[in-house]
Amino acid sequence: MQLLNSLTRILFSQLFRIPFVFRMALFLYEHRKKTNIGLAEYSYWFKDFPKNPFDIFQEIREFTGIICDIRNGLQLINRLYAQQDTIPPFLVCFKLYEEGKALKNYFISKQHKGLPLSEKDERLLFTFLSDCPNYTLSNMLSWTRPDEGFKIRKERILKCIKGVKGRLLEIGCSTAPWFEDFIRNEAISLYIGSDISHFALRIGKISKDTGKSEFLQCHAEKLPFKNGSFEIAIASEIMEHLKNPEDLCNETFRILKEDGIFIVSVPMHVVDQHNITDALDFGDFTHNPSFPNLQQLKDLFLATHFIIEDVIIDPYYIFKLRKRDGVNY
């Protein structure tokens, strides 16, 4: 049975076009860990489906998620291996991934119970995001197959910075999926991507590193740059993850040059519905449950001395802010 399960895993790997070396590595890992994720274990789906279709459907959905996670994990390792990057080794990567799954389940449990995160929990969440590959892997597929909302957000942000010359800082860049779009703009003299995820930055540096780019691990609420270092700063889908979003605004104001542009995008449901969709398990457990509403968000930008030049809506709020002396509205 164990052999059948392992062979099944290899079959799925083949379907997803994973190189042979990783199919074999996955086989050895399966055998060593004595795990059971093969189809044989789930054969009762078809027999029991007429009795309790809802529960069976839920298990099928969970199993599909496991397969997607495996694929994303192997894509990451394949990319690292192709660049002869030895950090992290294959089994270490999966060890960290398993630790990340346990942390993720812990945070989701607290979210569903409506319990606030303690100071210790905050440190654990930082560890999860910075050291475990899970969050990066869960987003990689959506970035390689972007939905319509993703494309709209990118196009609008690119339009907001069109014609602005100088250095660009992308705060929370992850694997830098928009790097080519930014660097294609000849007005951008240097791209710097920052994130707290070691894994995400590793992938970004390997796949996107050029003479016009740098990648740096740091927290969005404490940016390690000198005053007035950038003409453009972008925080796309970052602010709703922060415990203290005002710290990001203050830090960005500090590191921007006079007349610099700050682009912020936030999902509309996070702002308008106070994360109700996250509470229903349709969203992201790393979101700040007490994130400001629209008026509070505008007040926050004004309080941190930005001018609000434009607000674009649906399906994201995209704010074009400017560092300049003047009258806000």
Side-chain angles (χ1 to χ4, degrees), residues 289-309:
S290 57
F291 194 76
N293 61 33
L294 180 58
Q295 187 56 52
Q296 291 170 334
L297 202 52
K298 289 182 177 180
D299 292 342
L300 171 59
F301 295 141
L302 300 181
T304 50
H305 312 296
F306 281 104
I307 293 173
I308 304 175
E309 290 199 341

Side-chain angles (χ1 to χ4, degrees), residues 110-166:
K110 295 207 73 168
Q111 180 193 55
H112 287 180
K113 294 175 182 177
L115 299 174
L117 296 183
S118 65
E119 187 174 335
K120 180 180 177 181
D121 292 335
E122 295 286 351
R123 290 196 295 268
L124 282 175
L125 182 58
F126 182 84
T127 298
F128 171 79
L129 293 172
S130 61
D131 297 338
C132 299
N134 306 58
Y135 197 75
T136 297
L137 298 183
S138 67
N139 288 313
M140 284 180 68
L141 185 60
S142 63
W143 293 330
T144 54
R145 299 179 182 178
D147 59 22
E148 195 60 31
F150 184 95
K151 296 175 183 177
I152 290 172
R153 175 162 52 104
K154 180 177 73 170
E155 290 171 1
R156 290 175 176 174
I157 289 175
L158 291 173
K159 186 176 181 180
C160 285
I161 65 172
K162 187 176 181 180
V164 183
K165 296 181 179 180

Side-chain angles (χ1 to χ4, degrees), residues 3-239:
L3 178 62
L4 177 59
N5 289 332
S6 297
L7 291 174
T8 303
R9 288 279 292 279
I10 292 180
L11 175 61
F12 272 105
S13 299
Q14 177 63 37
L15 291 175
F16 295 129
R17 300 180 181 179
I18 302 300
F20 176 78
V21 62
F22 294 109
R23 295 201 303 273
M24 290 306 299
L26 190 58
F27 176 89
L28 295 172
Y29 180 77
E30 170 93 18
H31 180 72
R32 178 176 177 180
K33 298 290 289 185
K34 304 296 183 184
T35 54
N36 292 295
I37 312 180
L39 283 178
E41 183 184 354
Y42 294 89
S43 60
Y44 65 89
W45 281 343
F46 305 101
K47 181 176 64 176
D48 295 342
F49 189 81
K51 300 177 184 177
N52 197 342
F54 180 77
D55 287 347
I56 299 300
F57 174 76
Q58 290 294 98
E59 291 194 32
I60 291 175
R61 189 175 71 168
E62 180 180 350
F63 177 68
T64 304
I66 291 172
I67 294 300
C68 288
D69 285 343
I70 292 169
R71 174 176 58 181
N72 285 342
L74 290 176
Q75 286 175 340
L76 164 66
I77 297 164
N78 181 37
R79 179 167 286 180
L80 293 172
Y81 183 82
Q83 297 294 328
Q84 297 182 343
D85 190 313
T86 59
I87 303 174
F90 181 86
L91 293 181
V92 173
C93 179
F94 270 90
K95 180 178 182 293
L96 290 171
Y97 182 78
E98 289 175 346
E99 292 174 359
K101 282 197 296 185
L103 286 173
K104 178 180 177 180
N105 292 335
Y106 171 74
F107 291 123
I108 290 176
S109 174
K110 295 207 73 168
Q111 180 193 55
H112 287 180
K113 294 175 182 177
L115 299 174
L117 296 183
S118 65
E119 187 174 335
K120 180 180 177 181
D121 292 335
E122 295 286 351
R123 290 196 295 268
L124 282 175
L125 182 58
F126 182 84
T127 298
F128 171 79
L129 293 172
S130 61
D131 297 338
C132 299
N134 306 58
Y135 197 75
T136 297
L137 298 183
S138 67
N139 288 313
M140 284 180 68
L141 185 60
S142 63
W143 293 330
T144 54
R145 299 179 182 178
D147 59 22
E148 195 60 31
F150 184 95
K151 296 175 183 177
I152 290 172
R153 175 162 52 104
K154 180 177 73 170
E155 290 171 1
R156 290 175 176 174
I157 289 175
L158 291 173
K159 186 176 181 180
C160 285
I161 65 172
K162 187 176 181 180
V164 183
K165 296 181 179 180
R167 292 156 53 100
L168 182 151
L169 170 65
E170 186 178 10
I171 303 166
C173 68
S174 188
T175 61
W178 296 351
F179 171 81
E180 286 83 2
D181 298 284
F182 291 138
I183 212 70
R184 195 178 295 125
N185 182 350
E186 294 182 357
I188 305 301
S189 59
L190 177 67
Y191 169 94
I192 295 185
S194 71
D195 203 280
I196 64 172
S197 170
H198 166 77
F199 279 83
L201 290 171
R202 203 70 168 166
I203 297 172
K205 186 172 183 179
I206 288 170
S207 59
K208 312 286 172 52
D209 198 11
T210 69
K212 292 176 63 177
S213 66
E214 295 177 13
F215 294 88
L216 181 69
Q217 186 178 29
C218 65
H219 199 291
E221 296 176 17
K222 192 172 183 180
L223 301 172
F225 305 106
K226 295 180 180 180
N227 296 353
S229 297
F230 298 92
E231 283 76 16
I232 307 168
I234 296 173
S236 180
E237 312 301 283
I238 301 304
M239 187 171 282

